[in-house]
Amino acid sequence: MMKHLLIIAALVLTFGFVKSQEKPLVQFSGVIYNIDSNVVVPYVSVTNKSDRNKTVSANYQGYFSFVAHEGDTIVFSAIGYRREALVIPRNLADKKYTVIMKMKAEVINLPVVRVYPWASLDEFNREFMAMKFADDDLEIARKNVERSSLMAIAKNLPRDAGEMNTMNFQNNHINLTSRTFNQRMANPLLNPFAWAAFIQQIQQGDKSRSGN
């Protein structure tokens, strides 16, 4: 039985080889362009569907060349372009066939993919349950007007022109008041005449108490 199967397989291969030899060989060459911009399309896959899907790749300049048969169906495919196909004509005089193949760009809209920083749904649930929500606008405003917050801001906030003017006015008022009571701006504790007058007042007070 095995022997018969091998004989049948050999006959099929031989028949296919003879059948392929019936079609004349042809040198198939060409350059591939973008139909919209006339720019070469590099590295396009060129597949011979009639010869067991043999595939060659165009070079970076969009050029390709290989041996095929008359009547073969050739398919051109590239990422971002529509698939194109052609059939090599029969009865070529010089056994050469050169083409300028033009391919049209195809825009493919991929679905939106959202990437999350969690490896699984359980991990997401744990992170969500432990999440601390931010304060709302009312709570943020309440914290901003607390006394501690205002004092901290006041320490680092420079004085404006109005505050400087008020401070200068207060200092000038204090200086004028002090000069009214002490014209020479002298310290009375260091004045000997003031001490003498003070001691004399004490003595007079003692005399008046002893006389009574």
Side-chain angles (χ1 to χ4, degrees):
M1 184 67 180
M2 188 66 181
K3 186 176 181 179
H4 293 292
L5 292 176
L6 291 175
I7 294 173
I8 294 173
L11 291 174
V12 171
L13 293 175
T14 303
F15 178 78
F17 176 76
V18 173
K19 191 70 176 177
S20 64
Q21 292 299 318
E22 291 178 357
K23 298 190 298 183
L25 296 175
V26 59
Q27 186 68 34
F28 181 49
S29 306
V31 180
I32 307 168
Y33 285 90
N34 186 323
I35 193 173
D36 297 321
S37 61
N38 287 329
V39 177
V40 296
V41 181
Y43 308 116
V44 175
S45 296
V46 184
T47 303
N48 190 342
K49 290 292 185 180
S50 302
D51 191 6
R52 293 173 293 179
N53 290 327
K54 289 184 179 179
T55 302
V56 299
S57 295
N59 63 9
Y60 70 97
Q61 294 179 335
Y63 175 77
F64 65 91
S65 181
F66 60 93
V67 176
H69 297 89
E70 293 181 0
D72 285 353
T73 300
I74 311 299
V75 176
F76 300 83
S77 59
I79 297 176
Y81 289 87
R82 294 181 182 175
R83 294 166 62 94
E84 303 290 345
L86 61 81
V87 177
I88 299 176
R90 296 180 181 273
N91 301 321
L92 296 173
D94 54 0
K95 305 304 178 183
K96 293 181 180 179
Y97 187 57
T98 303
V99 296
I100 297 178
M101 194 66 192
K102 294 188 176 182
M103 301 182 67
K104 185 173 181 61
E106 184 177 24
V107 179
I108 301 175
N109 294 323
L110 299 177
V112 177
V113 177
R114 294 183 179 181
V115 180
Y116 295 98
W118 302 286
S120 63
L121 183 60
D122 294 336
E123 184 177 350
F124 167 75
N125 291 332
R126 289 194 299 270
E127 293 290 338
F128 182 80
M129 296 303 295
M131 184 181 300
K132 294 182 178 180
F133 293 95
D135 298 330
D136 56 9
D137 294 340
L138 182 61
E139 182 64 18
I140 294 174
R142 187 188 66 78
K143 290 182 178 180
N144 288 337
V145 297
E146 288 182 350
R147 180 176 178 81
S148 58
S149 299
L150 295 178
M151 293 298 294
I153 295 174
K155 290 181 180 179
N156 300 322
L157 188 66
R159 299 181 184 275
D160 59 8
E163 290 178 330
M164 295 298 295
N165 187 30
T166 301
M167 184 178 294
N168 291 333
F169 177 79
Q170 292 177 351
N171 291 335
N172 293 333
H173 178 73
I174 293 173
N175 291 334
L176 290 175
T177 304
S178 299
R179 289 179 181 178
T180 302
F181 292 99
N182 188 2
Q183 295 292 333
R184 296 183 179 181
M185 299 297 293
N187 189 350
L189 296 177
L190 302 178
N191 190 349
F193 297 101
W195 279 104
F198 178 69
I199 294 173
Q200 186 177 3
Q201 291 176 0
I202 293 175
Q203 291 176 351
Q204 289 178 355
D206 293 338
K207 289 180 180 180
S208 62
R209 285 194 297 272
S210 62
N212 293 333

